[in-house]
Amino acid sequence: QVQLVESGGGLVQAGGSLRLSCAASGRTFSSYAMGWFRQGPGKERDFLATISWSGASTYYADSVKGRFTISRDNAKNTVYLQMNSLKPEDTAVYYCAGGSSWPSRVQNDYDYWGQGTQVTASS
């Protein structure tokens, strides 16, 4: 069992940056691929990025490629999402998730989810 807790969200001006963190409990964190998703107001939850067990491989949605970077520190049981050049359309609740499938952008492939953290990018 893995529990995930996101942090680092907040209000930022368009063009700014934020780094989200997702802290995991449990000893098996390094066994899971990790992903980030987001759900904007009135929208479905969308895939953003995923990272392999070791952190050696990453995969991004086209909408964030080049602006967002996913990384992980298995010693700290933490996965990160560095977000640069934020736009108002990036406003959403951001979720981290863990699963055994790699690579996957499908929500059902992820077994564990955090509660989400709000990111608001103002124009």
Side-chain angles (χ1 to χ4, degrees), residues 66-101:
R67 296 192 301 126
F68 291 8
T69 303
I70 188 171
S71 61
R72 68 190 296 166
D73 185 339
N74 287 341
K76 295 182 178 180
N77 279 10
T78 302
V79 62
Y80 305 96
L81 186 69
Q82 176 67 43
M83 305 186 295
N84 298 329
S85 302
L86 283 162
K87 306 173 183 180
E89 52 264 43
D90 293 318
T91 295
V93 178
Y94 284 69
Y95 299 89
C96 69
S100 301
S101 297

Side-chain angles (χ1 to χ4, degrees), residues 25-94:
S25 65
R27 298 181 179 180
T28 59
F29 173 76
S30 60
S31 300
Y32 292 96
M34 298 297 296
W36 284 96
F37 293 75
R38 71 184 178 191
Q39 186 168 18
K43 298 181 180 179
E44 296 184 348
R45 190 156 57 184
D46 292 330
F47 166 80
L48 297 176
T50 185
I51 188 166
S52 62
W53 304 267
S54 67
S57 299
T58 57
Y59 180 67
Y60 295 92
D62 288 343
S63 60
V64 302
K65 195 176 299 182
R67 296 192 301 126
F68 291 8
T69 303
I70 188 171
S71 61
R72 68 190 296 166
D73 185 339
N74 287 341
K76 295 182 178 180
N77 279 10
T78 302
V79 62
Y80 305 96
L81 186 69
Q82 176 67 43
M83 305 186 295
N84 298 329
S85 302
L86 283 162
K87 306 173 183 180
E89 52 264 43
D90 293 318
T91 295
V93 178
Y94 284 69

